[in-house]
Amino acid sequence: MASPITGETESRIEITNDLSCIDLDRVHSWLAQKSYWAGQMPRSVFDRAVSGSLCFGALKNGATIGFARVVSDRATFAYLSDVFVDPTLRGTGISKAMMAAVMRHPELQDLRLWVLATADAHGLYARFGFNPLAKAERYMERRDPEVYQRLGER
């Protein structure tokens, strides 16, 4: 497990990757019920995803108010995923603070490639050096949009 990082932003928001400080029940609820990408993600899938990732929580007075997850080999590649901020606190700089913490994390330096997918936050990620795919024709995907529904039937 990565050594935890903790830092405070100017607005007294603490950013940490210490999982014991992040309310994972709240994060799972957000992702499974309020995100457009993770719809109905079973808790067991979420727990596996978290255990295989470097996770970041935004905390205010100890309460989890934001989350981001990075899947990486920590040498060459990183995929940024599950960036979410409490809907009542959006527009207050929390996502920028989380992204700054992600980008300065010591285990995520000097990577050759970062990728992410977003429907609506291109401006945020552009501030941190993300651009549209340079060679989109090289990328492929294998998608199974009903996997969570099938898992829920078991």
Side-chain angles (χ1 to χ4, degrees):
M1 179 164 158
S3 39
I5 64 160
T6 302
E8 290 198 16
T9 67
E10 308 76 44
S11 59
R12 309 298 286 167
I13 304 297
E14 179 185 5
I15 308 296
T16 183
N17 70 313
D18 181 348
L19 287 177
S20 69
C21 296
I22 301 170
D23 183 345
L24 295 176
D25 291 331
R26 185 172 199 199
V27 172
H28 173 257
S29 177
W30 282 336
L31 294 176
Q33 297 172 17
K34 297 181 180 180
S35 74
Y36 65 82
W37 63 90
Q40 304 305 309
M41 178 190 293
R43 180 59 192 252
S44 61
V45 172
F46 172 75
D47 290 341
R48 283 190 357 235
V50 165
S51 71
S53 303
L54 183 57
C55 299
F56 296 79
L59 311 176
K60 185 169 187 174
N61 300 322
T64 301
I65 58 172
F67 181 79
R69 186 169 69 84
V70 178
V71 181
S72 178
D73 62 6
R74 301 176 192 194
T76 64
F77 175 83
Y79 174 72
L80 179 64
S81 181
D82 294 337
V83 179
F84 196 87
V85 172
D86 184 315
T88 65
L89 297 170
R90 290 181 183 161
T92 62
I94 296 164
S95 61
K96 291 181 197 95
M98 284 194 307
M99 283 302 302
V102 166
M103 299 309 293
R104 74 173 175 262
H105 190 282
E107 293 185 40
L108 300 174
Q109 300 306 300
D110 303 316
L111 303 180
R112 184 174 181 179
L113 179 64
W114 283 79
V115 294
L116 62 81
T118 185
D120 56 5
H122 297 78
L124 166 68
Y125 300 118
R127 293 176 189 203
F128 294 93
F130 287 85
N131 297 297
L133 292 173
K135 303 273 186 182
E137 68 278 4
R138 292 184 181 181
Y139 288 81
M140 297 178 69
E141 70 177 2
R142 180 178 169 195
R143 186 172 298 270
D144 185 352
E146 283 82 40
V147 67
Y148 298 154
Q149 290 78 10
R150 285 195 314 277
L151 288 172
E153 295 169 2
R154 291 184 191 166

PDB file of all heavy atoms in Angstrom, residues 111-141:
ATOM      1  N   LEU A 111       5.381   9.529 -15.239  1.00  0.00           N
ATOM      2  CA  LEU A 111       4.665   8.509 -16.000  1.00  0.00           C
ATOM      3  C   LEU A 111       4.607   8.932 -17.463  1.00  0.00           C
ATOM      4  O   LEU A 111       4.458  10.113 -17.775  1.00  0.00           O
ATOM      5  CB  LEU A 111       3.249   8.314 -15.459  1.00  0.00           C
ATOM      6  CG  LEU A 111       3.133   7.943 -13.979  1.00  0.00           C
ATOM      7  CD1 LEU A 111       1.669   7.796 -13.601  1.00  0.00           C
ATOM      8  CD2 LEU A 111       3.901   6.674 -13.666  1.00  0.00           C
ATOM      9  N   ARG A 112       4.684   7.983 -18.336  1.00  0.00           N
ATOM     10  CA  ARG A 112       4.659   8.289 -19.766  1.00  0.00           C
ATOM     11  C   ARG A 112       3.258   8.651 -20.248  1.00  0.00           C
ATOM     12  O   ARG A 112       3.096   9.495 -21.124  1.00  0.00           O
ATOM     13  CB  ARG A 112       5.182   7.086 -20.556  1.00  0.00           C
ATOM     14  CG  ARG A 112       5.278   7.372 -22.026  1.00  0.00           C
ATOM     15  CD  ARG A 112       5.923   6.252 -22.761  1.00  0.00           C
ATOM     16  NE  ARG A 112       6.005   6.617 -24.167  1.00  0.00           N
ATOM     17  CZ  ARG A 112       6.533   5.872 -25.089  1.00  0.00           C
ATOM     18  NH1 ARG A 112       7.064   4.719 -24.767  1.00  0.00           N
ATOM     19  NH2 ARG A 112       6.558   6.255 -26.331  1.00  0.00           N
ATOM     20  N   LEU A 113       2.228   8.009 -19.675  1.00  0.00           N
ATOM     21  CA  LEU A 113       0.869   8.229 -20.162  1.00  0.00           C
ATOM     22  C   LEU A 113      -0.136   8.244 -19.032  1.00  0.00           C
ATOM     23  O   LEU A 113      -0.129   7.361 -18.164  1.00  0.00           O
ATOM     24  CB  LEU A 113       0.492   7.111 -21.157  1.00  0.00           C
ATOM     25  CG  LEU A 113      -0.908   7.167 -21.764  1.00  0.00           C
ATOM     26  CD1 LEU A 113      -1.076   8.414 -22.630  1.00  0.00           C
ATOM     27  CD2 LEU A 113      -1.184   5.905 -22.572  1.00  0.00           C
ATOM     28  N   TRP A 114      -0.992   9.237 -19.051  1.00  0.00           N
ATOM     29  CA  TRP A 114      -2.175   9.330 -18.198  1.00  0.00           C
ATOM     30  C   TRP A 114      -3.386   9.333 -19.128  1.00  0.00           C
ATOM     31  O   TRP A 114      -3.354   9.980 -20.176  1.00  0.00           O
ATOM     32  CB  TRP A 114      -2.198  10.655 -17.439  1.00  0.00           C
ATOM     33  CG  TRP A 114      -1.295  10.778 -16.275  1.00  0.00           C
ATOM     34  CD1 TRP A 114       0.047  11.035 -16.290  1.00  0.00           C
ATOM     35  CD2 TRP A 114      -1.670  10.694 -14.903  1.00  0.00           C
ATOM     36  NE1 TRP A 114       0.521  11.102 -15.011  1.00  0.00           N
ATOM     37  CE2 TRP A 114      -0.516  10.912 -14.138  1.00  0.00           C
ATOM     38  CE3 TRP A 114      -2.885  10.463 -14.251  1.00  0.00           C
ATOM     39  CZ2 TRP A 114      -0.529  10.907 -12.747  1.00  0.00           C
ATOM     40  CZ3 TRP A 114      -2.890  10.463 -12.868  1.00  0.00           C
ATOM     41  CH2 TRP A 114      -1.724  10.670 -12.129  1.00  0.00           C
ATOM     42  N   VAL A 115      -4.454   8.662 -18.739  1.00  0.00           N
ATOM     43  CA  VAL A 115      -5.707   8.721 -19.490  1.00  0.00           C
ATOM     44  C   VAL A 115      -6.871   8.874 -18.518  1.00  0.00           C
ATOM     45  O   VAL A 115      -6.761   8.556 -17.333  1.00  0.00           O
ATOM     46  CB  VAL A 115      -5.931   7.487 -20.404  1.00  0.00           C
ATOM     47  CG1 VAL A 115      -4.896   7.432 -21.510  1.00  0.00           C
ATOM     48  CG2 VAL A 115      -5.943   6.209 -19.603  1.00  0.00           C
ATOM     49  N   LEU A 116      -7.970   9.354 -19.045  1.00  0.00           N
ATOM     50  CA  LEU A 116      -9.213   9.443 -18.293  1.00  0.00           C
ATOM     51  C   LEU A 116     -10.346   9.554 -19.291  1.00  0.00           C
ATOM     52  O   LEU A 116     -10.124   9.783 -20.481  1.00  0.00           O
ATOM     53  CB  LEU A 116      -9.204  10.645 -17.331  1.00  0.00           C
ATOM     54  CG  LEU A 116      -9.085  12.044 -17.916  1.00  0.00           C
ATOM     55  CD1 LEU A 116     -10.417  12.594 -18.428  1.00  0.00           C
ATOM     56  CD2 LEU A 116      -8.547  12.990 -16.866  1.00  0.00           C
ATOM     57  N   ALA A 117     -11.547   9.382 -18.804  1.00  0.00           N
ATOM     58  CA  ALA A 117     -12.745   9.570 -19.622  1.00  0.00           C
ATOM     59  C   ALA A 117     -13.659  10.520 -18.865  1.00  0.00           C
ATOM     60  O   ALA A 117     -13.852  10.378 -17.656  1.00  0.00           O
ATOM     61  CB  ALA A 117     -13.447   8.235 -19.869  1.00  0.00           C
ATOM     62  N   THR A 118     -14.210  11.497 -19.571  1.00  0.00           N
ATOM     63  CA  THR A 118     -15.137  12.432 -18.949  1.00  0.00           C
ATOM     64  C   THR A 118     -16.171  12.884 -19.967  1.00  0.00           C
ATOM     65  O   THR A 118     -15.877  12.994 -21.151  1.00  0.00           O
ATOM     66  CB  THR A 118     -14.410  13.654 -18.353  1.00  0.00           C
ATOM     67  OG1 THR A 118     -15.357  14.478 -17.655  1.00  0.00           O
ATOM     68  CG2 THR A 118     -13.702  14.483 -19.415  1.00  0.00           C
ATOM     69  N   ALA A 119     -17.362  13.129 -19.478  1.00  0.00           N
ATOM     70  CA  ALA A 119     -18.415  13.666 -20.337  1.00  0.00           C
ATOM     71  C   ALA A 119     -18.532  15.171 -20.182  1.00  0.00           C
ATOM     72  O   ALA A 119     -19.041  15.849 -21.076  1.00  0.00           O
ATOM     73  CB  ALA A 119     -19.760  13.000 -20.006  1.00  0.00           C
ATOM     74  N   ASP A 120     -18.071  15.704 -19.044  1.00  0.00           N
ATOM     75  CA  ASP A 120     -18.404  17.100 -18.755  1.00  0.00           C
ATOM     76  C   ASP A 120     -17.354  17.913 -18.007  1.00  0.00           C
ATOM     77  O   ASP A 120     -17.618  19.034 -17.613  1.00  0.00           O
ATOM     78  CB  ASP A 120     -19.710  17.141 -17.961  1.00  0.00           C
ATOM     79  CG  ASP A 120     -19.644  16.304 -16.690  1.00  0.00           C
ATOM     80  OD1 ASP A 120     -18.571  15.774 -16.363  1.00  0.00           O
ATOM     81  OD2 ASP A 120     -20.684  16.171 -16.031  1.00  0.00           O
ATOM     82  N   ALA A 121     -16.163  17.380 -17.807  1.00  0.00           N
ATOM     83  CA  ALA A 121     -15.169  18.118 -17.017  1.00  0.00           C
ATOM     84  C   ALA A 121     -13.876  18.353 -17.787  1.00  0.00           C
ATOM     85  O   ALA A 121     -12.795  18.418 -17.201  1.00  0.00           O
ATOM     86  CB  ALA A 121     -14.893  17.371 -15.710  1.00  0.00           C
ATOM     87  N   HIS A 122     -13.978  18.540 -19.081  1.00  0.00           N
ATOM     88  CA  HIS A 122     -12.792  18.738 -19.899  1.00  0.00           C
ATOM     89  C   HIS A 122     -11.965  19.941 -19.440  1.00  0.00           C
ATOM     90  O   HIS A 122     -10.738  19.884 -19.426  1.00  0.00           O
ATOM     91  CB  HIS A 122     -13.191  18.895 -21.366  1.00  0.00           C
ATOM     92  CG  HIS A 122     -13.839  17.675 -21.926  1.00  0.00           C
ATOM     93  ND1 HIS A 122     -15.158  17.357 -21.677  1.00  0.00           N
ATOM     94  CD2 HIS A 122     -13.350  16.686 -22.703  1.00  0.00           C
ATOM     95  CE1 HIS A 122     -15.458  16.223 -22.280  1.00  0.00           C
ATOM     96  NE2 HIS A 122     -14.373  15.785 -22.911  1.00  0.00           N
ATOM     97  N   GLY A 123     -12.621  21.015 -19.050  1.00  0.00           N
ATOM     98  CA  GLY A 123     -11.924  22.219 -18.604  1.00  0.00           C
ATOM     99  C   GLY A 123     -11.084  21.970 -17.364  1.00  0.00           C
ATOM    100  O   GLY A 123      -9.955  22.456 -17.262  1.00  0.00           O
ATOM    101  N   LEU A 124     -11.624  21.234 -16.408  1.00  0.00           N
ATOM    102  CA  LEU A 124     -10.871  20.900 -15.196  1.00  0.00           C
ATOM    103  C   LEU A 124      -9.599  20.149 -15.559  1.00  0.00           C
ATOM    104  O   LEU A 124      -8.498  20.522 -15.138  1.00  0.00           O
ATOM    105  CB  LEU A 124     -11.722  20.049 -14.246  1.00  0.00           C
ATOM    106  CG  LEU A 124     -10.949  19.365 -13.114  1.00  0.00           C
ATOM    107  CD1 LEU A 124     -10.402  20.382 -12.119  1.00  0.00           C
ATOM    108  CD2 LEU A 124     -11.824  18.326 -12.421  1.00  0.00           C
ATOM    109  N   TYR A 125      -9.733  19.092 -16.339  1.00  0.00           N
ATOM    110  CA  TYR A 125      -8.582  18.248 -16.639  1.00  0.00           C
ATOM    111  C   TYR A 125      -7.574  18.938 -17.548  1.00  0.00           C
ATOM    112  O   TYR A 125      -6.372  18.694 -17.434  1.00  0.00           O
ATOM    113  CB  TYR A 125      -9.054  16.911 -17.202  1.00  0.00           C
ATOM    114  CG  TYR A 125      -9.929  16.184 -16.210  1.00  0.00           C
ATOM    115  CD1 TYR A 125     -11.252  15.878 -16.496  1.00  0.00           C
ATOM    116  CD2 TYR A 125      -9.431  15.837 -14.956  1.00  0.00           C
ATOM    117  CE1 TYR A 125     -12.056  15.236 -15.571  1.00  0.00           C
ATOM    118  CE2 TYR A 125     -10.230  15.199 -14.022  1.00  0.00           C
ATOM    119  CZ  TYR A 125     -11.536  14.903 -14.330  1.00  0.00           C
ATOM    120  OH  TYR A 125     -12.333  14.274 -13.403  1.00  0.00           O
ATOM    121  N   ALA A 126      -8.029  19.827 -18.418  1.00  0.00           N
ATOM    122  CA  ALA A 126      -7.103  20.577 -19.275  1.00  0.00           C
ATOM    123  C   ALA A 126      -6.141  21.411 -18.432  1.00  0.00           C
ATOM    124  O   ALA A 126      -4.969  21.570 -18.786  1.00  0.00           O
ATOM    125  CB  ALA A 126      -7.881  21.458 -20.243  1.00  0.00           C
ATOM    126  N   ARG A 127      -6.606  21.911 -17.289  1.00  0.00           N
ATOM    127  CA  ARG A 127      -5.744  22.694 -16.391  1.00  0.00           C
ATOM    128  C   ARG A 127      -4.568  21.872 -15.873  1.00  0.00           C
ATOM    129  O   ARG A 127      -3.571  22.423 -15.421  1.00  0.00           O
ATOM    130  CB  ARG A 127      -6.537  23.190 -15.190  1.00  0.00           C
ATOM    131  CG  ARG A 127      -7.586  24.178 -15.521  1.00  0.00           C
ATOM    132  CD  ARG A 127      -8.379  24.534 -14.287  1.00  0.00           C
ATOM    133  NE  ARG A 127      -9.521  25.330 -14.685  1.00  0.00           N
ATOM    134  CZ  ARG A 127     -10.153  26.150 -13.886  1.00  0.00           C
ATOM    135  NH1 ARG A 127      -9.767  26.275 -12.633  1.00  0.00           N
ATOM    136  NH2 ARG A 127     -11.178  26.840 -14.324  1.00  0.00           N
ATOM    137  N   PHE A 128      -4.715  20.559 -15.912  1.00  0.00           N
ATOM    138  CA  PHE A 128      -3.673  19.670 -15.404  1.00  0.00           C
ATOM    139  C   PHE A 128      -2.944  18.935 -16.531  1.00  0.00           C
ATOM    140  O   PHE A 128      -2.313  17.914 -16.300  1.00  0.00           O
ATOM    141  CB  PHE A 128      -4.270  18.703 -14.383  1.00  0.00           C
ATOM    142  CG  PHE A 128      -4.739  19.421 -13.142  1.00  0.00           C
ATOM    143  CD1 PHE A 128      -6.050  19.854 -13.036  1.00  0.00           C
ATOM    144  CD2 PHE A 128      -3.845  19.708 -12.124  1.00  0.00           C
ATOM    145  CE1 PHE A 128      -6.471  20.553 -11.916  1.00  0.00           C
ATOM    146  CE2 PHE A 128      -4.259  20.404 -11.003  1.00  0.00           C
ATOM    147  CZ  PHE A 128      -5.575  20.836 -10.893  1.00  0.00           C
ATOM    148  N   GLY A 129      -3.051  19.461 -17.745  1.00  0.00           N
ATOM    149  CA  GLY A 129      -2.278  18.946 -18.863  1.00  0.00           C
ATOM    150  C   GLY A 129      -2.940  17.868 -19.701  1.00  0.00           C
ATOM    151  O   GLY A 129      -2.318  17.332 -20.607  1.00  0.00           O
ATOM    152  N   PHE A 130      -4.192  17.537 -19.423  1.00  0.00           N
ATOM    153  CA  PHE A 130      -4.886  16.513 -20.213  1.00  0.00           C
ATOM    154  C   PHE A 130      -5.412  17.132 -21.504  1.00  0.00           C
ATOM    155  O   PHE A 130      -5.883  18.271 -21.520  1.00  0.00           O
ATOM    156  CB  PHE A 130      -6.050  15.912 -19.418  1.00  0.00           C
ATOM    157  CG  PHE A 130      -5.611  14.986 -18.316  1.00  0.00           C
ATOM    158  CD1 PHE A 130      -5.259  15.476 -17.069  1.00  0.00           C
ATOM    159  CD2 PHE A 130      -5.540  13.613 -18.523  1.00  0.00           C
ATOM    160  CE1 PHE A 130      -4.850  14.633 -16.049  1.00  0.00           C
ATOM    161  CE2 PHE A 130      -5.133  12.758 -17.512  1.00  0.00           C
ATOM    162  CZ  PHE A 130      -4.785  13.278 -16.269  1.00  0.00           C
ATOM    163  N   ASN A 131      -5.324  16.372 -22.582  1.00  0.00           N
ATOM    164  CA  ASN A 131      -5.781  16.794 -23.906  1.00  0.00           C
ATOM    165  C   ASN A 131      -6.584  15.659 -24.527  1.00  0.00           C
ATOM    166  O   ASN A 131      -6.479  14.510 -24.087  1.00  0.00           O
ATOM    167  CB  ASN A 131      -4.572  17.073 -24.814  1.00  0.00           C
ATOM    168  CG  ASN A 131      -3.741  18.213 -24.297  1.00  0.00           C
ATOM    169  OD1 ASN A 131      -4.207  19.329 -24.212  1.00  0.00           O
ATOM    170  ND2 ASN A 131      -2.496  17.920 -23.927  1.00  0.00           N
ATOM    171  N   PRO A 132      -7.338  15.959 -25.599  1.00  0.00           N
ATOM    172  CA  PRO A 132      -7.980  14.853 -26.328  1.00  0.00           C
ATOM    173  C   PRO A 132      -6.915  13.866 -26.803  1.00  0.00           C
ATOM    174  O   PRO A 132      -5.751  14.232 -26.991  1.00  0.00           O
ATOM    175  CB  PRO A 132      -8.650  15.556 -27.514  1.00  0.00           C
ATOM    176  CG  PRO A 132      -8.854  16.965 -27.043  1.00  0.00           C
ATOM    177  CD  PRO A 132      -7.670  17.265 -26.155  1.00  0.00           C
ATOM    178  N   LEU A 133      -7.313  12.613 -26.982  1.00  0.00           N
ATOM    179  CA  LEU A 133      -6.365  11.594 -27.424  1.00  0.00           C
ATOM    180  C   LEU A 133      -5.675  12.024 -28.712  1.00  0.00           C
ATOM    181  O   LEU A 133      -6.326  12.394 -29.686  1.00  0.00           O
ATOM    182  CB  LEU A 133      -7.084  10.266 -27.659  1.00  0.00           C
ATOM    183  CG  LEU A 133      -7.642   9.570 -26.432  1.00  0.00           C
ATOM    184  CD1 LEU A 133      -8.478   8.361 -26.844  1.00  0.00           C
ATOM    185  CD2 LEU A 133      -6.529   9.148 -25.489  1.00  0.00           C
ATOM    186  N   ALA A 134      -4.359  11.944 -28.715  1.00  0.00           N
ATOM    187  CA  ALA A 134      -3.582  12.330 -29.894  1.00  0.00           C
ATOM    188  C   ALA A 134      -3.760  11.333 -31.024  1.00  0.00           C
ATOM    189  O   ALA A 134      -3.752  11.695 -32.191  1.00  0.00           O
ATOM    190  CB  ALA A 134      -2.108  12.462 -29.531  1.00  0.00           C
ATOM    191  N   LYS A 135      -3.894  10.094 -30.694  1.00  0.00           N
ATOM    192  CA  LYS A 135      -4.047   9.027 -31.687  1.00  0.00           C
ATOM    193  C   LYS A 135      -5.250   8.170 -31.302  1.00  0.00           C
ATOM    194  O   LYS A 135      -5.111   6.982 -30.998  1.00  0.00           O
ATOM    195  CB  LYS A 135      -2.785   8.164 -31.736  1.00  0.00           C
ATOM    196  CG  LYS A 135      -1.519   8.919 -32.035  1.00  0.00           C
ATOM    197  CD  LYS A 135      -1.302   9.033 -33.504  1.00  0.00           C
ATOM    198  CE  LYS A 135       0.054   9.659 -33.778  1.00  0.00           C
ATOM    199  NZ  LYS A 135       0.292   9.820 -35.168  1.00  0.00           N
ATOM    200  N   ALA A 136      -6.413   8.774 -31.306  1.00  0.00           N
ATOM    201  CA  ALA A 136      -7.624   8.076 -30.861  1.00  0.00           C
ATOM    202  C   ALA A 136      -7.851   6.777 -31.630  1.00  0.00           C
ATOM    203  O   ALA A 136      -8.374   5.809 -31.070  1.00  0.00           O
ATOM    204  CB  ALA A 136      -8.838   8.990 -31.004  1.00  0.00           C
ATOM    205  N   GLU A 137      -7.416   6.742 -32.876  1.00  0.00           N
ATOM    206  CA  GLU A 137      -7.621   5.541 -33.687  1.00  0.00           C
ATOM    207  C   GLU A 137      -6.835   4.339 -33.153  1.00  0.00           C
ATOM    208  O   GLU A 137      -7.122   3.203 -33.516  1.00  0.00           O
ATOM    209  CB  GLU A 137      -7.261   5.811 -35.153  1.00  0.00           C
ATOM    210  CG  GLU A 137      -5.794   6.061 -35.426  1.00  0.00           C
ATOM    211  CD  GLU A 137      -5.299   7.489 -35.153  1.00  0.00           C
ATOM    212  OE1 GLU A 137      -6.085   8.325 -34.663  1.00  0.00           O
ATOM    213  OE2 GLU A 137      -4.122   7.756 -35.435  1.00  0.00           O
ATOM    214  N   ARG A 138      -5.877   4.557 -32.296  1.00  0.00           N
ATOM    215  CA  ARG A 138      -5.098   3.458 -31.725  1.00  0.00           C
ATOM    216  C   ARG A 138      -5.780   2.821 -30.516  1.00  0.00           C
ATOM    217  O   ARG A 138      -5.410   1.734 -30.093  1.00  0.00           O
ATOM    218  CB  ARG A 138      -3.722   3.953 -31.289  1.00  0.00           C
ATOM    219  CG  ARG A 138      -2.842   4.349 -32.436  1.00  0.00           C
ATOM    220  CD  ARG A 138      -1.483   4.727 -31.922  1.00  0.00           C
ATOM    221  NE  ARG A 138      -0.623   5.131 -33.037  1.00  0.00           N
ATOM    222  CZ  ARG A 138       0.625   5.502 -32.893  1.00  0.00           C
ATOM    223  NH1 ARG A 138       1.175   5.513 -31.696  1.00  0.00           N
ATOM    224  NH2 ARG A 138       1.331   5.864 -33.936  1.00  0.00           N
ATOM    225  N   TYR A 139      -6.718   3.519 -29.936  1.00  0.00           N
ATOM    226  CA  TYR A 139      -7.360   3.038 -28.714  1.00  0.00           C
ATOM    227  C   TYR A 139      -8.579   2.204 -29.032  1.00  0.00           C
ATOM    228  O   TYR A 139      -9.322   2.497 -29.960  1.00  0.00           O
ATOM    229  CB  TYR A 139      -7.750   4.221 -27.818  1.00  0.00           C
ATOM    230  CG  TYR A 139      -6.554   4.864 -27.182  1.00  0.00           C
ATOM    231  CD1 TYR A 139      -5.770   5.771 -27.889  1.00  0.00           C
ATOM    232  CD2 TYR A 139      -6.174   4.542 -25.890  1.00  0.00           C
ATOM    233  CE1 TYR A 139      -4.652   6.347 -27.321  1.00  0.00           C
ATOM    234  CE2 TYR A 139      -5.062   5.112 -25.312  1.00  0.00           C
ATOM    235  CZ  TYR A 139      -4.306   6.015 -26.036  1.00  0.00           C
ATOM    236  OH  TYR A 139      -3.192   6.572 -25.471  1.00  0.00           O
ATOM    237  N   MET A 140      -8.755   1.172 -28.265  1.00  0.00           N
ATOM    238  CA  MET A 140      -9.919   0.305 -28.412  1.00  0.00           C
ATOM    239  C   MET A 140     -10.511   0.084 -27.035  1.00  0.00           C
ATOM    240  O   MET A 140      -9.864   0.353 -26.021  1.00  0.00           O
ATOM    241  CB  MET A 140      -9.517  -1.031 -29.041  1.00  0.00           C
ATOM    242  CG  MET A 140      -8.956  -0.896 -30.443  1.00  0.00           C
ATOM    243  SD  MET A 140      -8.432  -2.489 -31.121  1.00  0.00           S
ATOM    244  CE  MET A 140     -10.004  -3.293 -31.319  1.00  0.00           C
ATOM    245  N   GLU A 141     -11.710  -0.389 -27.016  1.00  0.00           N
ATOM    246  CA  GLU A 141     -12.342  -0.704 -25.741  1.00  0.00           C
ATOM    247  C   GLU A 141     -13.160  -1.970 -25.877  1.00  0.00           C
ATOM    248  O   GLU A 141     -13.573  -2.346 -26.969  1.00  0.00           O
ATOM    249  CB  GLU A 141     -13.236   0.445 -25.256  1.00  0.00           C
ATOM    250  CG  GLU A 141     -14.500   0.627 -26.071  1.00  0.00           C
ATOM    251  CD  GLU A 141     -15.395   1.731 -25.515  1.00  0.00           C
ATOM    252  OE1 GLU A 141     -15.039   2.386 -24.528  1.00  0.00           O
ATOM    253  OE2 GLU A 141     -16.466   1.928 -26.095  1.00  0.00           O
TER     254      GLU A 141
END
